[in-house]
Each structure stands twice: as structure tokens, then as C-alpha cells.
Amino acid sequence: MDYKEFEKCNVFGLGDENTAFSRFFIGKSYLNPLTDPAKSKLFFANVTFEPGCRNNWHIHHAEEGGGQILLCVAGSGWYQEEGKKAQGLTPGSVVVIPAGVKHWHGAKKDSWFSHIAVEVPGVNTRNEWLEAVADEQYDALSEQ
């Protein structure tokens, strides 16, 4: 999906380039916060990935609760948990990621991709950013 077609579908908007976390991504990503964490316990943000962009492996830690939910809204992407096959994501896909699960997500090579990221409230939550998803691993992905 090219950008012009994607832009028509991305109803929550591109937002700003995600420079604060760029060291944890291969390629460019964009962040459009939909809620204000100072005013709500729930944080929702539209995260957009350019074609081929993906985040590093990471873990959402929590002593209780926590984790993340991805609500896919536009384009086509990937989600993978450590030790499992990658799954394709399209608008309407929902991924529930429990705390403590090592995973990554991002766009497919030939498509822009957006998801709403929902940070699940918990006790002592934090993210641990890990190694990048190797090009060889990413390039080997195909429709499954």
C-alpha cells in the first residue's frame, strides 16, 4: 500500500516523527497520541510505520497487570512473539500482549501500517528494549 492510498485509510492521522524512540526502530515511525497521560490512566496512541519499518524486540514488564494491546487500523504489518511464527496484521486485527512476553511489530516491506497502541495499566510497568529484528529474519517473512 503506497502512502497516498494509506493516508485515506489512516483515520487517526500520522502524527509526528517518533524521534524520541527512533533508536529502537529500523526505519521511520510516527506517533500520534490520542489521549493525554496526565488526564487519563489509559494511554492510546496511533503508531505509524513506513514500509519496512519495525521496532526492536521488547518486553512490557509489570508486577501486576500491564502489557499492551494493538488495534490495527490501516495498512499491513507483522507481529511476532519470541519462539512463534510471525502473524500478518491488517485493519481489524487485535493483538493482546501480556506483560513479560518478548515481541516485535511493524510494517510489511511493501506497505505503510498503523495500529493503536494501548498501554495496559499495571503496577510498576516499564518497557525493556532489546536487540533489533535482524534483516535476514525480517526479509525471510512471507504471507503465512
Side-chain angles (χ1 to χ4, degrees):
M1 176 179 284
D2 67 21
Y3 183 74
K4 189 174 181 178
E5 183 182 351
F6 170 80
E7 188 176 37
K8 293 176 189 174
C9 303
N10 191 20
V11 297
F12 292 101
L14 188 65
D16 295 322
E17 188 173 338
N18 191 7
T19 56
F21 290 90
S22 63
R23 68 184 183 274
F24 304 119
F25 287 74
I26 292 175
K28 286 186 183 177
S29 68
Y30 301 83
L31 184 65
N32 187 16
L34 303 176
T35 60
D36 181 348
K39 296 179 181 177
S40 172
K41 290 183 180 183
L42 291 175
F43 181 66
F44 289 71
N46 188 43
V47 182
T48 299
F49 302 78
E50 70 180 0
C53 177
R54 68 260 188 200
N55 53 31
N56 288 7
W57 288 96
H58 59 286
I59 302 170
H60 302 277
H61 292 285
E63 290 178 16
E64 186 179 307
Q68 186 178 48
I69 300 171
L70 307 178
L71 307 170
C72 304
V73 295
S76 186
W78 292 110
Y79 169 78
Q80 185 173 21
E81 292 181 5
E82 184 177 44
K84 296 184 179 179
K85 285 179 119 178
Q87 65 185 68
L89 302 175
T90 55
S93 298
V94 176
V95 181
V96 178
I97 309 163
V101 173
K102 184 177 177 181
H103 66 284
W104 68 270
H105 35 101
K108 291 191 175 177
K109 288 185 211 180
D110 60 351
S111 180
W112 285 80
F113 176 63
S114 279
H115 62 58
I116 304 299
V118 181
E119 298 299 322
V120 177
V123 176
N124 293 325
T125 60
R126 67 179 175 85
N127 291 342
E128 178 184 8
W129 289 100
L130 303 165
E131 71 276 7
V133 175
D135 288 341
E136 300 77 24
Q137 178 186 4
Y138 180 81
D139 291 342
L141 295 175
S142 61
E143 288 302 321
Q144 300 168 5

